[in-house]
Amino acid sequence: DEAYHIVKQRLFTQPDAAALAAIGATARAYVELYRKYTDDFPREARDPAYEDRIKRTYPIHPELFDTLYEEWSSLERFQRTRGVLRLMSTVIHALWTGEDASPLIMPGSIPLATANVNAELTQYLQDSWKAIIDADVDGANSEPARIDTAKPLFGQRALTKRLARTVFFGAAPTVAPGSIHKGIGTQRVFLGTAIPGDVPGNFHAALTQLGDRATYFYSGSGKYWYDVQPNITRTAKDQAERLHVEEVWAEIARRLQGQARTRGDFAGVHVCPETAADIPDTDEARLVILHPKVAHRRSTESAAKDFARHATEHRGNANRTNRNMVVYLAADETRLAELDSATRDYLGWKHVLDSEADLDLTQNQRNQAAQRQAQADQTVSARLLQTFIWALVPTQPDPGAPFVIREAKVEGQSEALAERVSRRLGNDGDLSTRQAAATIQLAINRVPQIWQQGHVSLGSLWGLYRQYPYMPRLRDRRVLDEGITDLPMIWQTDAFALATGYDDAAGRYTGLWTPDDRGAAPPASDSLLIVRPEVALRQRDAEVPRSPTTPADGDSDASSGTTARRDHRPDIVYPKAKTRFYGVKTLNPERIALDFRNVAEEVIAHLRADIGTTLTVRIEIEATDTSGFQEGKIRTVSENARTLKFDQSGFEED
């Protein structure tokens, strides 16, 4: 109280009645602000006694005096009476000459950018504080000024600058050597900054911006402070900004690789191929998740569409055979910037943790970095799903038209991109895991040339399905096989008949089968014939002999309870199914890995895809050196062969 009186007596005139009324109104307005936002200010600031304190210390806010006497007076060279009087004289003079219109002089009002005020405060601190104030606290080129300029909502009331001043003034003495408790609590920051008309909700956003952009600004455990050491937030941000776009893409591609483990309704998922040559040309439906560098924008020609169009037509220098077996997923060009930003943030914090020893992090800093990295990791994962939303589907309206790339927006709740795409394409009819015989008949009828001979082999039909985008897109050959052999009873209009062969000399089908026949349908094989229903019916009519004792076609025989047509048909014997595959291939010693990969993708992958298939793969190695192998090499190869548990191995003489 004595200090208040000294400052007021030396620096201000005594108020008259009108001034006392204005002072009372000001004090009341402040306390009403504190009561309106009860969670943002200390409890004592809402009491009637605090209103009296404001009247007594007017025009200086009580928080400013409290900070001087509780924090600054703890510094060794700071004098409670003379130091306070000299500092306040300097501050008040700067505000008076600057025509400051604030209702009270508060910690957030102190013009730290003014040379005299700056010198008066920093004489009690390390010399490095002057540069910190210029960069991160106050001044035309300081970070708070840039934030206020970029955000008009803040800039209209110089919100970030006032908060930065309050944090510095309240916390600078606490970071001096020997101090135990660093920082100033959130409520005290708000108390030293807020004036009637402010919305404290904006204070939180401004402090967050300051923490993200200022080099020496710290926060933790509900407190804020400036320090002479650069903060790790700025270190992480600087690292994020230095990253080359290729490094960001590499991290995105790494995360997308995890999406290949969940296939949805696809036989395989391929992630970020560099060229069309990296996409296998197989007869199974595959999803290709494109590299982020080839993104797509709605209803436009894009790099992603160009890539999809080229990859559908070509694999490397050769033409792609299975053009109807690939679907693409591309990133949204407008959302890619958000994913880029989140990925940079994650990599920046990862760099901080990886450089823990070099940065000499404290335990608090390590905890902060780990928490921020975890938050950034979750953000990247979420934005990844929000960014890769465009399915690019090769489509051909009719057999005579060129194919086009149609876009479809893919969204959903699944964490797996392949499942989202599967659901969308399944709903649109662009990917099928089941195919009814009636649907197969409709697909065949779209291309009349298929029925020219009255039949088509299953192998040839599957060739059309996998090659041409005007046909339905099936997951794999099994879908067609199951649809072909599961015929409805009204096959004459909704499906077709089956036959094991065609006798050109006799002009008839062998092993002709319809759902009306006894026994199961013939096994699906490339040579199985799919026969037009009217052609099959003509042969059936010719096979049934007519006699006075034979009932008319379709009439029931009372004694047997079956039709005459069925009674005159013998059981059909089908060729045995092939149950074993074997193959031998000599690999080029100059490109063993490439040759083996091709064998794995083009042969082994198909064999192992069938449930119930027993697969055995053996490697046979033969090496000859006419001059004889050296003892060291013999020993090394023999030991490695034993370690790898070769079934047989050894060196021989001629």
Side-chain angles (χ1 to χ4, degrees):
D1 291 343
E2 182 181 356
Y4 301 162
H5 292 304
I6 292 174
V7 172
K8 292 178 69 173
Q9 183 179 359
R10 296 285 186 90
L11 301 178
F12 298 101
T13 60
Q14 291 297 318
D16 55 19
L20 288 173
I23 291 171
T26 298
R28 191 176 311 110
Y30 269 88
V31 175
E32 287 176 354
L33 171 69
Y34 303 150
R35 291 171 180 167
K36 181 179 180 180
Y37 301 99
T38 55
D39 295 337
D40 294 310
F41 299 98
R43 179 183 298 274
E44 66 269 18
R46 306 193 294 270
D47 295 339
Y50 202 79
E51 184 174 339
D52 294 333
R53 285 196 68 193
I54 295 176
K55 294 176 183 178
R56 291 198 305 272
T57 62
Y58 185 91
I60 300 170
H61 194 284
E63 180 66 12
L64 195 154
F65 273 119
D66 289 345
T67 303
L68 286 172
Y69 278 86
E70 293 174 10
E71 305 296 347
W72 285 86
S73 62
S74 65
L75 300 179
E76 183 178 354
R77 294 185 293 114
F78 190 87
Q79 297 176 322
R80 284 196 169 188
T81 302
R82 183 174 298 179
V84 170
L85 182 60
R86 189 169 64 185
L87 172 62
M88 293 310 302
S89 175
T90 306
V91 169
I92 292 165
H93 180 267
L95 293 174
W96 181 264
T97 57
E99 298 183 352
D100 185 84
S102 301
L104 287 177
I105 300 172
M106 309 174 66
S109 308
I110 299 175
L112 296 169
T114 303
N116 291 341
V117 177
N118 188 301
E120 187 63 36
L121 277 174
T122 56
Q123 66 174 312
Y124 306 109
L125 306 171
Q126 300 178 40
D127 291 341
S128 56
W129 280 103
K130 294 181 180 180
I132 294 172
I133 292 172
D134 291 340
D136 280 353
V137 184
D138 201 356
N141 297 318
S142 66
E143 200 60 49
R146 293 193 184 97
I147 295 172
D148 284 338
T149 300
K151 292 188 172 292
L153 182 64
F154 298 168
Q156 291 171 0
R157 302 179 71 86
L159 185 59
T160 313
K161 181 173 69 175
R162 289 192 288 127
L163 286 166
R165 289 171 172 176
T166 302
V167 172
F168 169 80
F169 183 74
T174 70
V175 298
S179 297
I180 300 175
H181 304 292
K182 289 184 178 181
I184 174 174
T186 305
Q187 290 185 336
R188 306 216 75 87
V189 174
F190 288 11
L191 184 63
T193 305
I195 61 176
D198 282 337
V199 179
N202 293 331
F203 290 13
H204 296 281
L207 287 171
T208 299
Q209 286 281 314
L210 198 56
D212 289 341
R213 297 177 56 171
T215 304
Y216 298 93
F217 185 87
Y218 284 80
S219 64
S221 302
K223 291 188 173 184
Y224 302 91
W225 68 94
Y226 283 94
D227 208 327
V228 293
Q229 297 293 330
N231 68 23
I232 56 174
T233 300
R234 187 64 190 185
T235 302
K237 186 175 181 62
D238 289 343
Q239 173 64 20
E241 292 175 349
R242 285 195 296 266
L243 289 170
H244 192 273
V245 67
E246 294 284 353
E247 297 175 272
V248 179
W249 286 344
E251 174 62 22
I252 296 174
R254 183 189 69 80
R255 290 171 176 268
L256 287 173
Q257 291 295 336
Q259 291 287 337
R261 291 193 291 268
T262 304
R263 300 178 179 181
D265 291 336
F266 293 94
V269 177
H270 303 276
V271 178
C272 299
E274 290 294 331
T275 66
D278 297 327
I279 304 172
D281 188 8
T282 66
D283 62 348
E284 297 173 312
R286 296 180 178 272
L287 175 65
V288 181
I289 303 178
L290 299 182
H291 197 282
K293 66 184 177 183
V294 284
H296 177 68
R297 185 186 292 269
R298 180 194 291 270
S299 303
T300 62
E301 289 299 315
S302 62
K305 270 193 174 182
D306 290 342
F307 185 97
R309 189 177 295 108
H310 175 77
T312 303
E313 291 187 297
H314 304 283
R315 186 193 183 194
N317 296 326
N319 290 329
R320 184 173 297 276
T321 301
N322 302 286
R323 295 187 299 163
N324 200 32
M325 292 285 103
V326 283
V327 173
Y328 308 89
L329 182 66
D332 182 82
E333 189 175 298
T334 57
R335 295 185 180 180
L336 196 59
E338 297 175 356
L339 177 60
D340 179 276
S341 176
T343 306
R344 288 178 181 274
D345 189 31
Y346 167 79
L347 293 174
W349 285 109
K350 183 177 183 297
H351 167 76
V352 170
L353 287 175
D354 292 344
S355 307
E356 176 183 340
D358 295 336
L359 296 174
D360 193 22
L361 301 183
T362 64
Q363 184 61 46
N364 181 58
Q365 288 174 322
R366 283 195 294 272
N367 294 341
Q368 180 189 4
Q371 180 182 7
R372 294 292 295 273
Q373 184 192 28
Q375 292 173 349
D377 181 56
Q378 293 177 357
T379 302
V380 174
S381 298
R383 290 187 179 175
L384 195 73
L385 298 175
Q386 297 165 3
T387 300
F388 282 81
I389 60 172
W390 291 113
L392 303 179
V393 186
T395 306
Q396 196 169 357
D398 57 69
F403 82 90
V404 296
I405 302 296
R406 182 174 59 81
E407 66 182 37
K409 192 173 184 180
V410 176
E411 295 177 311
Q413 300 301 318
S414 175
E415 297 294 319
L417 292 172
E419 290 181 351
R420 293 187 177 192
V421 178
S422 298
R423 187 173 295 110
R424 175 60 194 268
L425 298 191
N427 292 338
D428 293 348
D430 289 317
L431 178 64
S432 300
T433 57
R434 295 175 61 89
Q435 192 82 343
T439 307
I440 295 173
Q441 186 200 48
L442 289 175
I444 296 175
N445 289 341
R446 289 190 62 196
V447 190
Q449 298 90 330
I450 297 178
W451 284 133
Q452 278 184 348
Q453 295 180 320
H455 64 266
V456 60
S457 70
L458 180 57
S460 299
L461 181 60
W462 174 240
L464 297 176
Y465 267 93
R466 60 190 174 85
Q467 292 181 54
Y468 298 107
Y470 58 75
M471 297 292 284
R473 183 176 292 102
L474 308 183
R475 182 184 187 276
D476 50 29
R477 167 69 177 269
R478 184 183 300 178
V479 177
L480 182 61
D481 290 350
E482 292 174 353
I484 288 294
T485 55
D486 185 19
L487 299 182
M489 292 305 297
I490 50 174
W491 62 275
Q492 298 91 338
T493 57
D494 293 347
F496 35 75
L498 302 176
T500 57
Y502 183 73
D503 187 339
D504 290 317
R508 62 185 299 277
Y509 292 96
T510 59
L512 183 65
W513 182 90
T514 73
D516 296 331
D517 294 326
R518 291 191 294 267
S525 64
D526 284 352
S527 60
L528 180 67
L529 299 181
I530 302 162
V531 184
R532 290 178 64 176
E534 58 269 28
V535 175
L537 286 172
R538 283 199 299 269
Q539 178 168 322
R540 278 286 187 248
D541 290 337
E543 289 174 347
V544 179
R546 296 292 182 183
S547 69
T549 60
T550 302
D553 184 21
D555 293 340
S556 297
D557 187 327
S559 63
S560 64
T562 60
T563 62
R565 174 180 294 172
R566 182 174 297 172
D567 285 342
H568 286 82
R569 294 175 198 153
D571 290 339
I572 303 172
V573 179
Y574 304 113
K576 292 183 178 180
K578 296 180 175 62
T579 60
R580 180 176 177 270
F581 167 82
Y582 65 92
V584 178
K585 175 177 173 56
T586 302
L587 305 183
N588 187 332
E590 300 298 328
R591 49 186 180 88
I592 291 176
L594 178 60
D595 278 4
F596 189 82
R597 187 185 73 175
N598 290 337
V599 171
E601 290 181 352
E602 308 297 343
V603 178
I604 297 176
H606 294 282
L607 295 173
R608 71 185 299 181
D610 292 336
I611 299 174
T613 299
T614 301
L615 180 66
T616 302
V617 180
R618 293 186 176 89
I619 299 176
E620 181 177 329
I621 304 172
E622 180 179 339
T624 304
D625 188 339
T626 56
S627 61
F629 292 103
Q630 297 179 358
E631 288 298 326
K633 183 168 293 186
I634 293 174
R635 183 171 56 256
T636 299
V637 173
S638 298
E639 290 177 355
N640 291 344
R642 283 194 299 272
T643 301
L644 296 173
K645 298 182 180 180
F646 273 41
D647 295 337
Q648 298 178 8
S649 65
F651 288 86
E652 300 175 337
E653 298 177 353
D654 288 340

